[in-house]
Amino acid sequence: MTAAETQKKNRLKDVLRLVIFLGIGIFFIYWFLLKLDSEQKAAIWQSFTEANYWWVAVAMACCLLSHLVRALRWRLLFKPIGYQPTISNTFGSVLVAYMANLALPRAGEVMRCATLRTSEGIPVEKSLGTVVTERIIDVLAFVVVIAVGMLAMFGQAKDWLYDTLSERYDNLPNMAMIIGVLAALVLMAFIAYKLLWHRLMGINLFRKIDTLIHGMVDGVKSILHLGPKATVLFLIYSVAIYLLYILGGLIIFQAFAETSVLGFGAAFVVYLFGTVGMTFSQGGIGVYPVLVQLALDIYGVPLEVGTACGWLLWGSQQAIVLAVGAAFLIYFSIIKRKNKVH
């Protein structure tokens, strides 16, 4: 297969992925609206009109700050390879990437590197390596967050999950038993991997998994090459990013009287539900607000308020990305044009 054919095939895959994930989002919007009667729709609209949009503006600022911290963290990865891009250009590249991802899956990673090449002259292959490392760290960090969430499942959320499952299944195991079973399964998988490694490597799927695991290990090791100070700073930035994500939900809670009493635990659960929604549809459209409403239902928040809260939380994140990302895209286009002239 030629390079042109491969590129065409990848482009077709991206378009199909966009159609499928966008279709899922539109379906969820239609499905959700279909369940509502006219009174519920009117109540949801009323919740939107009665919301305190000053808090929505603060949530947008919090979202923007999380992207800035992400840019600062990404910037640390360039030092070992001999580059030091400016904070403004790195920040702009991150926002352009998020905006591009709303239009086409995975397009953001390419755009991130392309804009940095335009503004800083850093070769795409160099910056792409840092993006891969960052993504690996994000995957590992998210697994840790999910694990903490499943183990802690703050108060009411834990009770809600247990009660919901109890309605369908009898004699549910306790948390200690679940942890023990999971630990045993992990141990068995590790032993099987070691004993059957050569045979497993003959299967394409396992080769890909093995490559992914080694890539993650290499990505984590590369962080240690930053030096003690930069490594600690990288970890601090990573924690700050997730705290800002959760804080964004906590701020949006203040926009409604019914959710203003909720605390960090509820915001954490909303973040977990919302993150799942982001993976099921393009940009989380449709699915994200529905799952946020479901998370708020755990805490007794009325459907109309939970729905409005979910849409405002999702909408505020996308609005700030689109607005600032578009501004930076124009900025990078001007730089590119100037570079061509010179």
Side-chain angles (χ1 to χ4, degrees), residues 115 134 184:
T115 51
E134 193 189 32

Side-chain angles (χ1 to χ4, degrees), residues 24-185:
I24 291 172
I26 294 172
F27 167 77
F28 264 87
I29 295 173
Y30 173 76
W31 171 76
F32 182 76
L33 291 175
L34 197 64
K35 296 194 305 176
L36 303 176
D37 56 36
S38 57
E39 290 184 3
Q40 287 175 314
K41 290 177 183 178
I44 290 172
W45 178 251
Q46 186 177 353
S47 295
F48 275 115
T49 58
E50 292 179 351
N52 187 335
Y53 283 88
W54 285 110
W55 285 111
V56 177
V58 176
M60 293 171 75
C62 182
C63 177
L64 200 59
L65 181 59
S66 72
H67 296 322
L68 175 60
V69 175
R70 180 174 290 280
L72 292 171
R73 189 186 71 169
W74 183 34
R75 190 167 175 261
L76 290 173
L77 297 175
F78 284 95
K79 191 174 181 181
I81 58 175
Y83 295 97
Q84 194 170 7
T86 62
I87 294 174
S88 59
N89 286 334
T90 313
F91 180 48
S93 295
V94 167
L95 282 162
V96 168
Y98 273 102
M99 186 180 68
N101 278 334
L102 290 175
L104 201 64
R106 296 189 305 176
E109 314 311 331
V110 177
M111 285 292 292
R112 210 200 305 195
C113 300
T115 51
L116 214 55
R117 179 188 60 187
T118 298
S119 59
E120 297 282 349
I122 300 175
V124 171
E125 62 273 13
K126 295 288 186 180
S127 54
L128 193 59
T130 63
V131 170
V132 171
T133 298
E134 193 189 32
R135 281 288 167 255
I136 288 170
I137 298 300
D138 281 339
V139 169
L140 292 175
F142 182 66
V143 169
V144 171
V145 169
I146 290 293
V148 170
M150 293 302 292
L151 292 174
M153 257 330 221
F154 297 90
Q156 286 171 276
K158 184 178 180 181
D159 295 337
W160 173 85
L161 181 62
Y162 196 87
D163 291 342
T164 301
L165 292 175
S166 296
E167 292 177 1
R168 297 188 177 184
Y169 307 101
D170 296 326
N171 302 320
L172 286 176
N174 57 36
M175 187 59 69
M177 189 180 297
I178 293 173
I179 294 173
V181 170
L182 288 175
L185 289 174

Side-chain angles (χ1 to χ4, degrees), residues 253-265:
F253 289 170
Q254 309 311 308
F256 304 91
E258 293 86 349
T259 55
S260 61
V261 296
L262 299 178
F264 184 85

